[in-house]
Amino acid sequence: MSQEAKSSACLALADGSVFFGSAFGATGEVTGEVVFNTSMTGYGEILTDPSYCGQIVTMTYPLIGNYGINFEDVESKGPRLRAFVVRELCRAPSNFRSELSLDDYLRKAGIIGLEGIDTRSLVRRLRSRGAVTGVLSTVDLDPQSLIAKAQAAPSIVGQDLVQEVMPAASFSWTEKLGNFATLAPQDSQPTRYHVVAIDYGMKWNILRHLTQVGCRVTVVPGTSTAAEILALQPDGVFLSNGPGDPEPLTYAIRTIRELLGKLPIFGICLGHQLLGLAAGARTFKLKFGHRGANQPVMNLRNSKVEITSQNHGFAIDALSLPANIEVTHRNLNDQTIEGMRLTDQPAFSVQYHPEAAAGPHDSAYLFEEFCSLMDLSAEKTKA
């Protein structure tokens, strides 16, 4: 019997590659940019990270689902990726926190899963040729049909995916870090600041970190204007992560440009890229992106190496930096910019995820640095 005849799902790439496997989760057909993540754990956070909107995510670790799904660790209201690809699915999870199996979770969420393919072969292809558009289907197993659909599908470049994941209205956030978020108990700080967090597809653990260090947080949609944000009288502005290409987000770039110099600003991931664009830099698409929980980053201010969690397919072009941007962090794998600050404005950002969901805790100090920047701004205002 042929592999096609035994299979219940097929992934086809625009370059003509085809992978037959077994379906789990939901059924149907989806199109998206096929990418890979090298994390060994944290699939629950990966599934619910809005930055994966528009993407078919492949896990490089061979066994996924062994500790199930719990709703304490989710990073948004539900899975935001297009589909999920693994080598082997664990159908009988064993963990005291597990509330659902991965199979059941994706089925309820309407997300297609694919298992049983050679993920090493797929990932090597993506590493050598770059991220590529693909189609995953349980209803059409004809390779040529799926390849044609993948080739006709739009690229992620130039799309505004933020509109698909940002909140419809503003809201307040009060939840702090949970018991499993730190290696040791941490005392939360008293409320000292009011921060407006612009949500382009934000991970909830960022909000937990902000409240943990003493911030009262108001979350606003990514389309909010500078006037709307200033009317809330914040002490600082946070620019969140989010999916896709930053350059089409002209409304966000305009808002950030109008806020620069008025309030302290801290950006993460897409927020980092948008801050760079607002300051006059350019961005470019990485070949296959940075996605995993073990990315080495050099802090250029103290020469310390931080192991970081990352999820992005675009980066700031180092050759386009204006004179008032100082690079503060660099990726040790490819030397791309991982952090920067404006020398003439109270604004800084990092490309990686210091909120550690899921990932190491090396960079949590950045939330305290944001508070210090707001302290300094308040002192200057009083003077």
Side-chain angles (χ1 to χ4, degrees):
M1 184 180 292
S2 69
Q3 183 184 25
E4 180 178 349
K6 294 185 294 183
S7 301
S8 58
C10 181
L11 171 66
L13 308 185
D15 68 0
S17 306
V18 177
F19 299 85
F20 287 99
S22 299
F24 66 96
T27 58
E29 183 173 295
V30 292
T31 302
E33 182 184 47
V34 184
V35 299
F36 63 89
N37 187 297
T38 59
S39 300
M40 296 173 67
T41 60
Y43 56 82
E45 291 89 340
I46 291 166
L47 289 168
T48 53
D49 180 352
S51 294
Y52 283 111
C53 177
Q55 294 177 324
I56 298 171
V57 179
T58 304
M59 301 299 292
T60 61
Y61 192 71
L63 178 63
I64 299 296
N66 53 310
Y67 55 87
I69 292 289
N70 76 81
F71 295 101
E72 192 175 358
D73 291 344
V74 298
E75 288 298 309
S76 65
K77 292 182 178 179
R80 301 305 185 100
L81 74 182
R82 295 281 168 83
F84 198 50
V85 180
V86 302
R87 176 67 183 91
E88 180 182 351
L89 170 69
C90 177
R91 297 180 181 274
S94 177
N95 186 277
F96 73 100
R97 301 176 70 211
S98 177
E99 299 176 52
L100 272 180
S101 71
L102 177 57
D103 184 20
D104 289 340
Y105 180 62
L106 292 187
R107 185 178 300 110
K108 290 176 181 294
I111 302 296
I112 304 172
L114 173 67
E115 71 158 328
I117 73 165
D118 187 347
T119 51
R120 294 173 300 176
S121 174
L122 173 58
V123 170
R124 289 184 67 177
R125 185 174 298 273
L126 298 176
R127 278 185 59 88
S128 62
R129 302 185 183 183
V132 64
T133 303
V135 176
L136 175 56
S137 181
T138 66
V139 295
D140 179 1
L141 302 185
D142 177 10
Q144 296 308 313
S145 169
L146 293 177
I147 291 170
K149 292 175 184 177
Q151 292 173 343
S155 166
I156 201 168
V157 176
Q159 291 191 54
D160 180 356
L161 296 173
V162 167
Q163 305 274 355
E164 296 184 29
V165 296
M166 71 177 189
S170 301
F171 61 93
S172 297
W173 181 276
T174 58
E175 181 184 334
K176 298 183 179 181
L177 292 174
N179 294 331
F180 295 99
T182 57
L183 298 178
Q186 288 187 348
D187 294 330
S188 60
Q189 300 295 319
T191 302
R192 297 175 286 171
Y193 321 97
H194 177 210
V195 169
V196 168
I198 308 179
D199 191 340
Y200 306 114
M202 185 158 32
K203 294 174 67 178
W204 285 351
N205 218 47
I206 292 173
L207 296 171
R208 297 183 186 110
H209 271 275
L210 288 170
T211 56
Q212 189 77 20
V213 296
C215 298
R216 176 171 64 89
V217 182
T218 302
V219 181
V220 299
T223 51
S224 299
T225 66
E228 291 169 338
I229 292 166
L230 292 172
L232 297 172
Q233 299 182 314
D235 300 302
V237 174
F238 175 76
L239 313 175
S240 86
N241 64 292
D245 186 350
E247 292 196 359
L249 311 179
T250 53
Y251 52 87
I253 298 167
R254 180 172 58 252
T255 292
I256 297 167
R257 188 175 291 134
E258 292 174 359
L259 291 172
L260 280 172
K262 295 182 173 67
L263 293 165
I265 295 176
F266 174 31
I268 287 177
C269 199
L270 179 65
H272 161 80
Q273 297 161 11
L274 291 171
L275 177 61
L277 290 168
R282 296 190 301 273
T283 58
F284 69 99
K285 193 176 190 303
L286 294 164
K287 184 176 181 181
F288 50 81
H290 301 160
R291 297 176 182 89
N294 58 350
Q295 298 277 335
V297 168
M298 172 72 79
N299 184 330
L300 302 178
R301 296 172 295 178
N302 57 23
S303 298
K304 291 183 177 180
V305 176
E306 302 168 19
I307 303 303
T308 69
S309 180
Q310 300 196 16
N311 170 22
H312 61 102
F314 294 81
I316 291 178
D317 183 357
L319 298 179
S320 71
L321 296 182
N324 66 331
I325 289 184
E326 173 192 350
V327 176
T328 58
H329 299 75
R330 280 200 182 274
N331 189 295
L332 293 181
N333 287 333
D334 60 11
Q335 296 302 308
T336 51
I337 296 173
E338 292 285 357
M340 65 181 189
R341 74 176 188 94
L342 273 63
T343 58
D344 57 350
Q345 309 282 2
F348 74 105
S349 60
V350 289
Q351 180 62 79
Y352 53 94
H353 283 269
E355 77 281 354
H361 298 255
D362 296 20
S363 308
Y365 67 88
L366 290 163
F367 293 96
E368 291 287 358
E369 287 196 359
F370 184 36
C371 292
S372 297
L373 196 62
M374 288 187 285
D375 280 337
L376 184 60
S377 177
E379 291 172 6
K380 289 182 178 179
T381 301
K382 290 178 183 178

